[in-house]
Amino acid sequence: MPLGKLDLVEEEYIAESGDHTPEASRPVDNGDAVVENTNGHSNGELRVRKNEPRVPDMQLGKCRYVRLHDNVNYVAAAIILRNQGDDTEVLLIQEAKKSCRGKWYMPAGRVEAGETIEESVVREVKEETGYNCCVIELLSLQVQGSGWYRYAFFCEITGGDLKTQPDQESLAAEWYNIKDVKANKVQLRGRDFIRLIDEAVTYRSHGPVESIPRVLPISQNVAGLFLEFMIVKHSRDGLRTEVLVHKSIKDETYLLEEEQPFPTVEFGFEYFFAMVVSKCYRHLLEEGANVVFTPSHVTRIKCHPKPMESLAHGVSVRVYCQHKQSATKAVIRSPRYHWITVDSLETRQRFHMEQKQFRPSLHML
């Protein structure tokens, strides 16, 4: 079967990118793109150095450009806790917006062109609560359609004072016991952030591990919309972990060397995020969603909505997809990919593959 296209039992096929996909389809990287020989690896294949992403394997449309507030919007939100146990409190702000004036919500707001995602959440917390904060970890990514993304972070207070004077950003800020918030004893703008409080409590109980990279957005311009599938299969006894990778990844040692080891798709705004997942599952594996759960977490994000005039305000998201333990290992539909075993605990943790490891959640609307 030729590599150019796969025959799919659906109205529309996903084109597999060839070796000469235009450079514009790749995430923008400021490093020099260097291609070199394998230096001893089999078949004399050319390998891409880790400072150059591989050409996307699959194509579902394409964005001519991505620009903040034009065809994409990012929202940054913060969950900030204090105290422990039954005394745990969450920092909320009282909305000043006409549509929800007087109701309480987590600090949140739109990312502005010319600032990073993390800079945005720090600014929002300062404007709406009066506190200075630092960003510790991404808790969750929420995606609506293909052009709206909300990043919710676990943050900690580093200084400042609780806001007491109302302005256009917020009427006030206050600490509330999380039990009261969950029990509807506080008039909330919405309850969609309750699960984020639970995730923040869970994350805080584990605490960051210095040897494991945090999943914070990588500030790198991305010329389009990209999705990487890290499909992981754990054996029933938990002693064996396998992951689906590109054929250029011979074994787990290559995972740490390559920038983009997993199946990757570029897509356009006409395809909703969840639709892209569904189509690519069917394209990659014989049984598709019958053997792999819907992506539940993210393990890497690239996004950099600056400078303001840039047309590369896109995003690249690596999602964690868990193969069902009860199912036989999925048959791969394309010769581009294969399964490898990941024996090293350090490597599994670094890529956030471990079953009980913290990973930011993914919610597709």
Side-chain angles (χ1 to χ4, degrees):
M1 183 180 295
L3 290 180
K5 300 175 184 177
L6 287 183
D7 294 325
L8 299 182
V9 186
E10 57 181 340
E11 294 180 358
E12 186 174 16
Y13 68 79
I14 301 176
E16 285 199 347
S17 302
D19 294 335
H20 301 290
T21 299
E23 189 72 23
S25 69
R26 305 182 184 183
V28 176
D29 193 304
N30 294 326
D32 294 331
V34 180
V35 179
E36 61 181 3
N37 288 324
T38 58
N39 292 330
H41 293 285
S42 63
N43 300 327
E45 293 177 346
L46 290 178
R47 293 181 57 213
V48 182
R49 287 185 183 174
K50 61 183 178 180
N51 67 334
E52 183 193 8
R54 193 182 73 252
V55 172
D57 309 310
M58 300 169 284
Q59 198 85 32
L60 267 174
K62 185 177 177 63
C63 304
R64 291 192 300 111
Y65 68 94
V66 184
R67 190 169 186 178
L68 197 62
H69 306 326
D70 186 343
N71 53 13
V72 71
N73 282 287
Y74 301 125
V75 175
I79 297 294
I80 303 174
L81 305 177
R82 72 175 185 183
N83 303 332
Q84 300 284 339
D86 291 340
D87 297 324
T88 301
E89 295 178 319
V90 61
L91 180 62
L92 301 181
I93 61 102
Q94 192 173 33
E95 293 282 9
K97 303 182 186 72
K98 185 177 180 180
S99 61
C100 51
R101 189 176 179 86
K103 296 182 179 180
W104 295 87
Y105 201 60
M106 61 181 173
R110 293 202 313 175
V111 176
E112 300 298 337
E115 64 182 357
T116 68
I117 308 294
E118 290 183 54
E119 288 170 347
S120 175
V121 73
V122 170
R123 173 182 56 77
E124 290 290 346
V125 169
K126 181 64 176 178
E127 292 175 350
E128 296 184 345
T129 74
Y131 286 120
N132 302 318
C133 76
C134 62
V135 179
I136 304 299
E137 177 64 285
L138 180 70
L139 289 175
S140 175
L141 175 67
Q142 184 177 4
V143 185
Q144 184 170 354
S146 55
W148 187 90
Y149 301 78
R150 185 174 73 179
Y151 302 82
F153 296 95
F154 181 84
C155 300
E156 292 182 349
I157 298 299
T158 58
D161 297 299
L162 187 68
K163 184 176 187 176
T164 57
Q165 296 298 319
D167 57 26
Q168 63 181 5
E169 302 296 339
S170 66
L171 300 179
E174 190 58 78
W175 294 95
Y176 283 99
N177 189 289
I178 62 173
K179 291 189 296 184
D180 293 337
V181 174
K182 293 180 180 181
N184 288 323
K185 294 182 179 181
V186 182
Q187 188 178 19
L188 301 177
R189 167 186 160 183
R191 296 186 60 81
D192 59 317
F193 71 97
I194 300 298
R195 59 174 174 77
L196 296 176
I197 295 176
D198 293 333
E199 291 173 6
V201 171
T202 299
Y203 173 75
R204 189 174 67 164
S205 68
H206 287 84
V209 180
E210 289 188 5
S211 61
I212 301 175
R214 292 178 290 171
V215 187
L216 295 174
I218 299 170
S219 294
Q220 178 177 311
N221 289 120
V222 179
L225 303 175
F226 298 85
L227 186 56
E228 291 181 76
F229 295 90
M230 190 176 76
I231 302 176
V232 180
K233 179 170 174 52
H234 301 287
S235 62
R236 292 187 181 185
D237 59 11
L239 300 178
R240 182 182 176 88
T241 298
E242 296 175 274
V243 64
L244 187 68
V245 295
H246 188 266
K247 65 179 181 180
S248 63
I249 309 301
K250 305 301 181 184
D251 54 47
E252 67 176 279
T253 60
Y254 283 64
L255 286 175
L256 298 174
E257 299 176 6
E258 299 294 344
E259 167 65 20
Q260 194 172 298
F262 308 112
T264 304
V265 62
E266 179 181 14
F267 61 100
F269 285 109
E270 65 270 30
Y271 293 96
F272 285 6
F273 201 88
M275 185 189 305
V276 174
V277 170
S278 176
K279 285 181 175 291
C280 288
Y281 268 17
R282 296 197 302 269
H283 180 74
L284 290 168
L285 305 172
E286 286 285 355
E287 297 296 324
N290 292 329
V291 292
V292 182
F293 290 108
T294 300
S296 55
H297 298 83
V298 298
T299 61
R300 190 179 76 170
I301 298 175
K302 292 181 180 179
C303 184
H304 194 50
K306 61 186 300 185
M308 189 177 300
E309 64 275 9
S310 173
L311 298 179
H313 290 169
V315 62
S316 176
V317 181
R318 179 181 293 171
V319 294
Y320 173 86
C321 316
Q322 185 173 337
H323 192 294
K324 298 178 181 178
Q325 289 182 327
S326 60
T328 304
K329 187 165 61 177
V331 177
I332 305 166
R333 300 190 68 165
S334 170
R336 283 176 175 259
Y337 316 108
H338 68 142
W339 295 98
I340 63 169
T341 301
V342 185
D343 294 319
S344 167
L345 174 62
E346 180 181 355
T347 300
R348 294 197 302 270
Q349 290 180 333
R350 184 175 183 84
F351 281 87
H352 303 274
M353 293 181 190
E354 276 291 277
Q355 294 188 70
K356 297 182 180 180
Q357 188 174 1
F358 173 82
R359 286 177 288 270
S361 61
L362 171 66
H363 300 274
M364 299 180 289
L365 303 179

